[in-house]
Amino acid sequence: MDYEKLMQPALEAAKKCLEEGVDVPIGCAIYRGEELLATTYNTRQAERQVIGHAEVKAITEACKIIGDWRLNECTLFVTLEPCAMCSGTIAESRIGTIVYGASRPDADVHTARCADILPKNVKIIPDICARESVELLQTFFAKRRSANN
Amino acid sequence: MDYEKLMQPALEAAKKCLEEGVDVPIGCAIYRGEELLATTYNTRQAERQVIGHAEVKAITEACKIIGDWRLNECTLFVTLEPCAMCSGTIAESRIGTIVYGASRPDADVHTARCADILPKNVKIIPDICARESVELLQTFFAKRRSANN
């Protein structure tokens, strides 16, 4: 699997999120094999909905497409390490592999890390397109800071 | 707070779930103070949707009603100890107190317990109407076993 290539739709989604300027720019893509099933980005703030994180939205959409709540054959790509809610949702969906970009700087401090929540048989591939993923986050927070000054 | 009394809508929802006979009977209720905001039950199997657990549905509904993804003033009642996905969603929603009935027998084995995922400042009240909650689960699994024989 060419992880960098397959991360591109998630990065594109995060860029669209950044353009909208409301939510922390995080994008996600789910594949069945190498078939792209769903591409989503974070809309928690825009929709005032806690389950608006990119991963939960992509998993919800993939369940609808596949017609099952079990996504054993799927791989999830996300630009930032999943939070506890998204890690738990990945665990419940039985996704076999997750690939992420940047690591969460607040993990360990506030909540459990994804590796502590996911079952041991889930394969975790970190640091794929991490630099691009972090740059989107930094751009968002820099804009927010300058807007607040 | 009269925990037993406030657990009743969650138990009623779990009973309705048992009557439908498709999903593991688990019910949930969310209150703002003592005002009932949402009552839900598990529909994962019926809807073929991984986020069909009672707690995620109740939190989603409460966000819509309140118009915010932060549910700081809310208390969540659920008949069974939340799984990792639901615990993560509770953590993200900033719910301050959770009250549950039965403990999950599979916790510790398959996934993290809710107390390991929820931040330390979330109050956890276990064993409220635990006997009634367990009886609903036992009835469901007994029916399923006899249907498979």
Side-chain angles (χ1 to χ4, degrees), chain B residues 13-25 41-47 57 140 143:
Chain B
K15 279 177 202 164
K16 201 171 166 198
C17 187
L18 178 64
E19 281 164 23
E20 294 189 357
V22 180
D23 275 277
V24 181
Y41 56 87
N42 179 25
T43 55
R44 175 181 279 183
Q45 198 69 39
E47 296 184 25
K57 290 172 64 186
F140 176 80
K143 277 186 188 169

Side-chain angles (χ1 to χ4, degrees), chain A residues 27-145:
Chain A
C28 182
I30 291 186
Y31 295 85
R32 175 168 51 186
E34 298 211 2
E35 176 200 0
L36 182 61
L37 289 184
T39 311
T40 53
Y41 57 87
N42 179 25
T43 54
R44 174 181 280 183
Q45 196 69 38
E47 294 184 28
R48 299 173 180 190
Q49 180 51 261
V50 74
I51 62 165
H53 274 184
E55 300 94 309
V56 176
K57 290 171 63 185
I59 289 169
T60 305
E61 212 173 308
C63 288
K64 284 182 193 163
I65 293 166
I66 291 180
D68 196 348
W69 59 266
R70 302 170 197 83
L71 305 177
N72 307 55
E73 293 171 17
C74 292
T75 304
L76 181 144
F77 285 72
V78 60
T79 57
L80 184 68
E81 179 185 351
C83 76
M85 172 182 76
C86 294
S87 300
T89 309
I90 293 163
E92 289 289 310
S93 74
R94 306 187 184 177
I95 284 174
T97 303
I98 74 155
V99 182
Y100 69 79
S103 292
R104 278 172 51 232
D106 64 339
D108 290 334
V109 181
H110 293 306
T111 66
R113 297 205 76 116
C114 78
D116 297 325
I117 293 174
L118 292 171
K120 296 293 165 257
N121 60 336
V122 176
K123 197 170 162 188
I124 303 175
I125 318 280
D127 292 327
I128 302 299
C129 306
R131 191 181 51 78
E132 298 92 312
S133 301
V134 167
E135 278 173 4
L136 292 170
L137 297 168
Q138 287 174 335
T139 305
F140 176 80
F141 287 110
K143 277 186 187 167
R144 179 184 277 186
R145 273 194 301 276

